[in-house]
Amino acid sequence: MRFLSTTAVAWAGSLLFFNAAASPMHHARDVTPLSSSDLAGLAPYTQFARAAYCDPSDTADWSCGEACSANSGFQPALTGGDGNAVQYYFVGYWPSQNAVVVAHQGTDPTQFLSDETDIDIPMTNLDSSLFPGVSSSVLVHEGFANEHAITAAQILTTTKSLISQKGATSVITVGHSLGGALAELDALFMTLNLPSNIHVKSVTYGTPRVGNPAYASFFDGKVPDFKRVNNEKDPIPIVPGRFLGFQHPHGEIHIIQPGEAVSCPGDDDATDAQCTIETVPNITEGNILDHLGPYEGIYIGTIFCT
Ligand SMILES: *[C@@H]1O[C@H](CO)[C@@H](O)[C@H](O)[C@H]1NC(C)=O
């Protein structure tokens, strides 16, 4: 368990304390089980998130193997990144949904978990040239915001041009892990920069916390069509810790075991035992392998790009 640094172990105890302290009133709200068709309906988004790990030369002509052939009609328009300083990404048109899809790659899970368990993660305001009109009380993870900013303008330009060329009526952002955090920021970014008749939807997998409570409630108001899918005991969704001032927006779907998932109410305060913050109270209770899947039979990560 090389990801368990001593720092991580040291704060794991405080995380448990703060989880309890942060929600003194345990709201008795129920989870909603997902129907099997709702669960199966996630597959195309899962395959897009998986394809984001494939080399841009393979997503450029949509020849990345299973992940690409699962969404066979997709028309890529822009691919890039180097998988290192800039995560791979792609933007394209999905005819069956008349949508533009924007996807970002994630990163090495064990390294990522250890980075995000650092007790000193800087937060920053969103860049007002990319995110116009956001209150200064909204703070986000500085590393995620910087990474998002590298590709934001180019992705927006391509998205706008696909909307006008194809008459697309929605934009869908997807990603896993760090890519989930980037897709979450992209969902807000697109909402703030596209005309209001363009519907923005986002589906993310194994996403860490991106911002503070003001960010979460701002996001909730702007991006109602949001699902963040957490698999079993994946610890990535519980970092960075709530005790460090981070909070998820709404939209948790928790896969309890293959074939069984629930939709969790609220933001990051669903106290039901079936939701992530109760299932994974601290990272020692997590299992990083669950980060890779299976998300209803589909694994996501570099080695699953076949
Ligand atoms: C993690 O959570 C479990 C279950 O609540 C608890 O038994 C354990 O002591 C916690 N570990 C740490 C390091 O806080």
Side-chain angles (χ1 to χ4, degrees):
M1 302 243 279
R2 70 185 161 89
F3 62 85
L4 274 183
S5 67
T6 46
T7 318
V9 172
W11 72 245
S14 359
L15 176 64
L16 187 63
F17 170 74
F18 278 94
N19 265 340
S23 44
M25 295 183 296
H26 278 224
H27 305 283
R29 289 182 303 194
D30 291 329
V31 300
T32 313
L34 257 70
S35 68
S36 49
S37 67
D38 281 352
L39 203 44
L42 293 172
Y45 307 97
T46 317
Q47 295 287 10
F48 279 127
R50 176 186 176 193
Y53 280 85
C54 304
D55 194 280
S57 65
D58 294 328
T59 48
D61 62 0
W62 212 240
S63 65
C64 70
E66 263 179 35
C68 285
S69 51
N71 287 311
S72 59
F74 186 68
Q75 301 165 15
L78 173 73
T79 63
D82 59 13
N84 187 14
V86 182
Q87 304 312 115
Y88 295 156
Y89 61 92
F90 64 79
V91 184
Y93 178 62
W94 189 17
S96 71
Q97 300 298 311
N98 194 25
V100 176
V101 176
V102 177
H104 290 274
Q105 182 199 23
T107 189
D108 174 66
T110 47
Q111 183 60 47
F112 191 50
L113 182 61
S114 111
D115 290 349
E116 298 313 314
T117 50
D118 200 310
I119 52 161
D120 191 17
I121 292 176
M123 285 183 146
T124 184
N125 288 121
L126 286 163
D127 178 345
S128 61
S129 66
L130 295 175
F131 294 84
V134 179
S135 154
S136 61
S137 64
V138 170
L139 295 174
V140 296
H141 187 296
E142 187 175 68
F144 299 165
N146 290 344
E147 172 85 26
H148 174 263
I150 297 171
T151 55
Q154 204 183 3
I155 286 176
L156 181 61
T157 301
T158 303
T159 300
K160 284 179 172 170
S161 102
L162 284 172
I163 290 170
S164 72
Q165 276 171 45
K166 308 284 188 182
T169 49
S170 66
V171 172
I172 301 168
T173 74
V174 299
H176 166 254
S177 193
L178 169 59
L182 298 173
E184 186 178 307
L185 286 170
D186 254 348
L188 186 59
F189 172 64
M190 293 295 170
T191 303
L192 297 177
N193 287 284
L194 293 173
S196 59
N197 63 335
I198 302 296
H199 179 78
V200 174
K201 174 188 180 82
S202 182
V203 185
T204 72
Y205 299 83
T207 305
R209 294 186 177 100
V210 171
N212 68 352
Y215 161 80
S217 48
F218 182 66
F219 184 97
D220 289 355
K222 292 289 179 188
V223 190
D225 192 353
F226 179 60
K227 290 186 173 69
R228 49 183 183 87
V229 182
N230 295 336
N231 188 47
E232 301 191 41
K233 293 199 155 201
D234 180 3
I236 296 288
I238 67 158
V239 297
R242 296 199 297 176
F243 69 98
L244 296 173
F246 285 83
Q247 185 186 304
H248 279 296
H250 71 127
E252 181 185 1
I253 305 263
H254 188 220
I255 298 173
I256 296 159
Q257 59 182 15
E260 185 187 2
V262 291
S263 168
C264 296
D267 279 358
D268 211 358
D269 54 357
T271 52
D272 190 287
Q274 292 172 298
C275 299
T276 294
I277 58 170
E278 296 289 320
T279 308
V280 193
N282 55 55
I283 59 166
T284 61
E285 294 291 300
N287 180 357
I288 193 66
L289 293 178
D290 289 345
H291 187 55
L292 304 175
Y295 297 92
E296 288 309 289
I298 302 163
Y299 286 88
I300 311 177
T302 306
I303 62 167
F304 304 107
C305 192
T306 54

